[in-house]
Amino acid sequence: MAARKKSRLERWLSFNQHRKRFGATQAAASLQNADYTQLKTQLLTDTEQHYTHGADKDLSQHLLNLRAEFAGQAELLYYHAQLIVLIRREYQTLEQFAQFERLWEAEGDFLRQQLNTRWLISAADTFTDHATDPTTRALALAASLLVNTIKLQETERYLQAAEHLSDQADRQQQLQTERVALFDGTSAFAVGTDDTLRNLRWRLDAMSTAQPMGQLLVELFERLQTHDTVYQRFRQRHTRAKTAWW
């Protein structure tokens, strides 16, 4: 009986995986021999912007849904997203990742500047999963870890409606005069004067800017200073120019 149940499960998984890749051959063929220059100047104007939530099991529908995310933007960004989808659905993974790497080698600057943070993290995850160079994988993982940690913190802030809270003056003063323990030997920032993030930024710049995924990590770190994140809020609280990290 147990063996029969396993067999049914295996058949279901096989069917589900096949369904997720149905139409992949046609989709991949449309991405061959892409003219990057043309795709950078060609804008998607046939749809209105709409962000997906989850992934449709039907590949063609999923790609169509994703297209709406790039409304008004360069076709090259959508091309990049399609490669990621094919890689994640394990369709000719080596070939699609090789094409993905070529795209980043040729148009890395454009992609870093034009992709939103969601898709930069998708790119980082793809390099983490499939790159052969250990430094590339490590830096890509660092980028993903950084942003996903911030997403976790900002989600908790949303759950608790903490965006409506304000700093308590007595606690802010306390952080300037004594050590406030957090967890496992760590302590709270000395808000306004702390040099921890400045030193972090120095280390980040020193090791990362000569490597494409390092440049992506720096780009994401800089974005965290300008969007509504804990980094930006600490930047707004900072008072000592000598220890600024942005």
Side-chain angles (χ1 to χ4, degrees), residues 13-134:
L13 289 173
S14 177
F15 170 77
N16 194 48
Q17 197 67 9
H18 174 75
R19 180 185 176 191
K20 289 171 66 177
R21 289 198 293 261
F22 184 77
T25 301
Q26 182 179 358
S30 70
L31 302 180
Q32 295 296 317
N33 304 315
D35 183 334
Y36 297 157
T37 300
Q38 180 180 358
L39 291 177
K40 282 196 297 184
T41 57
Q42 188 172 311
L43 303 182
L44 292 175
T45 58
D46 59 348
T47 184
E48 295 182 0
Q49 190 172 61
H50 176 74
Y51 287 95
T52 60
H53 184 69
D56 199 292
K57 289 184 179 180
D58 182 274
L59 175 61
S60 298
Q61 185 60 51
H62 181 53
L63 292 176
L64 184 62
N65 294 343
L66 280 182
R67 184 178 175 82
E69 288 200 21
F70 299 96
Q73 300 178 65
E75 182 107 25
L76 189 66
L77 306 183
Y78 178 50
Y79 171 84
H80 174 264
Q82 291 176 89
L83 286 175
I84 290 177
V85 170
L86 290 174
I87 292 168
R88 289 190 178 177
R89 299 207 177 193
E90 300 178 350
Y91 177 76
Q92 297 181 344
T93 306
L94 292 177
E95 293 87 341
Q96 302 308 321
F97 182 67
Q99 197 167 336
F100 183 78
E101 282 189 305
R102 287 194 296 271
L103 173 61
W104 270 91
E105 288 170 4
E107 299 294 345
D109 289 342
F110 180 83
L111 294 171
R112 277 190 302 274
Q113 294 166 12
Q114 298 297 321
L115 286 169
N116 65 19
T117 295
R118 173 198 171 168
W119 285 102
L120 287 181
I121 292 304
S122 292
D125 288 339
T126 304
F127 277 106
T128 300
D129 291 341
H130 300 286
T132 56
D133 176 59

Side-chain angles (χ1 to χ4, degrees), residues 220-235:
L220 290 168
F221 185 80
E222 290 179 346
R223 291 188 188 192
L224 293 175
Q225 320 308 316
T226 58
H227 291 280
D228 185 15
T229 71
V230 66
Y231 276 93
Q232 187 205 50
R233 295 190 293 275
F234 269 78
R235 173 180 174 173

Side-chain angles (χ1 to χ4, degrees), residues 144-154:
S144 182
L145 179 63
L146 172 65
V147 174
N148 281 314
T149 299
I150 297 300
K151 283 178 61 178
L152 194 68
Q153 183 270 333
E154 295 296 331

